Amino acid sequence: MHDIHPLLGCQDAVDFRQTWRTGGVWRRTITLYVEGGALLTLHHAGRGISPGGWVLRHHDFTQLSREIIAGAMPVVTDSGIQMGRSLLLPPVRQCSLRLAAGEKISLLPGSCIDRADETGLFGPLSKATRLPVLPELRQMLHCFSASLAGEDIDWTLWLGRGPGLTPSQDDMLIGMMLAAWEAGWLNVHNSNAFFRASGSLHTATTQVSANYLQYAARGCFASPLLHFVFALRSGRRMTAATASLLAMGHTSGADTLLGFWLAQHFIRG
């Protein structure tokens, strides 16, 4: 048996002692999930970390990718998760992916959105962010501002639209929540009510996306999103941080950036 010691884990990851099933095995990630519930994402080192994620060394990730089969049910013990000939141990070193509000609102520079990168539903970023705001985006922004004001919004009516493992409008909503947490409009006092009227998100979108949305409502975001906000606050390394964000998924980064831009329209008043 080969023991795998993760390099890093997210503090908000769920307890690994659950009945897991292997989801997807991709070039950068491996997902384990509990039917209708928790998600554990294993990341290739150097590719960042998501909420509920563990980071594996290159050789461990490669070996695990070759051994496991999608849909299989790993053996879970008190020591770790056994997959094939490998025993995946819980990480010793952990990090926080929670975002605290900044001292002032960090406005998005035009250079971040005046780009040809394609969004999932609304064409290039440069076109999707033209004023006046597109009608569908304006309606989504209205729902978002109402939600922040304490109104009950059923977000399942918006989720699951667009291509990808995390559909486009789900990524947009995560970008909007990122902007709201950054500005302090979402916080520990009101965030629990954000999806209060939405029932189970798992009925409206993919399991991966439902988990990321729930984490975002609690102020937990993938490391490229946090790096982007930190660069925006400091005014340094914006080019690298924007490129890292836009490299997420096929259109996930662009959709997230579109949502961030859209929410700042409301936050700026």
Side-chain angles (χ1 to χ4, degrees):
M1 184 70 65
H2 169 64
D3 287 353
I4 295 179
H5 299 268
L7 290 170
L8 184 67
C10 174
Q11 289 179 355
D12 291 284
V14 297
D15 190 338
F16 72 88
R17 289 163 294 193
Q18 302 196 51
T19 305
W20 297 105
R21 185 179 294 276
T22 306
V25 181
W26 292 281
R27 186 163 56 93
R28 299 179 180 180
T29 59
I30 299 168
T31 57
L32 305 177
Y33 67 93
V34 176
E35 194 66 45
L39 177 77
L40 177 62
T41 305
L42 308 177
H43 296 273
H44 187 291
R47 302 296 185 178
I49 181 172
S50 65
W54 294 359
V55 178
L56 306 185
R57 293 174 176 83
H58 170 73
H59 64 272
D60 288 332
F61 184 92
T62 302
Q63 178 172 327
L64 206 55
S65 298
R66 293 170 178 168
E67 290 183 353
I68 63 178
I69 301 173
M73 298 185 69
V75 177
V76 179
T77 69
D78 287 338
S79 300
I81 306 171
Q82 182 179 335
M83 291 181 283
R85 294 170 294 172
S86 299
L87 178 64
L88 180 61
L89 302 172
V92 175
R93 183 167 170 248
Q94 297 187 331
C95 68
S96 172
L97 294 175
R98 290 182 177 269
L99 178 64
E103 296 181 359
K104 60 180 181 178
I105 297 175
S106 304
L107 297 180
L108 192 65
S111 59
C112 287
I113 55 175
D114 188 19
R115 307 175 63 100
D117 300 81
E118 289 283 337
T119 64
L121 294 172
F122 300 102
L125 267 173
S126 58
K127 179 180 179 181
T129 53
R130 287 177 187 166
L131 297 177
V133 176
L134 295 170
E136 187 171 357
L137 298 183
R138 189 165 60 246
Q139 186 179 3
M140 189 174 183
L141 180 57
H142 173 76
C143 290
F144 187 71
S145 60
S147 185
L148 293 184
E151 295 184 31
D152 286 340
I153 301 296
D154 183 0
W155 284 105
T156 60
L157 302 176
W158 290 90
L159 301 181
R161 301 183 185 180
L165 186 62
T166 54
S168 298
Q169 287 198 174
D170 300 25
D171 289 323
M172 284 178 55
L173 185 55
I174 288 175
M176 295 171 82
M177 287 190 280
L178 180 70
W181 273 96
E182 197 278 331
W185 285 87
L186 271 177
N187 52 62
V188 295
H189 302 294
N190 64 7
S191 59
N192 288 338
F194 192 84
F195 287 122
R196 178 175 54 196
S198 301
S200 173
L201 302 186
H202 295 272
T203 63
T205 188
T206 67
Q207 183 134 1
V208 172
S209 192
N211 275 272
Y212 287 174
L213 285 161
Q214 289 166 337
Y215 275 118
R218 291 156 48 193
C220 297
F221 300 92
S223 56
L225 276 65
L226 295 182
H227 293 160
F228 177 79
V229 168
F230 297 152
L232 190 60
R233 288 176 177 175
S234 68
R236 298 191 298 270
R237 294 183 55 80
M238 275 302 298
T239 300
T242 303
S244 178
L245 174 59
L246 291 171
M248 293 178 64
H250 186 59
T251 65
S252 287
D255 290 322
T256 301
L257 194 52
L258 174 59
F260 191 92
W261 169 84
L262 187 62
Q264 283 207 335
H265 273 273
F266 165 71
I267 292 167
R268 292 172 66 179

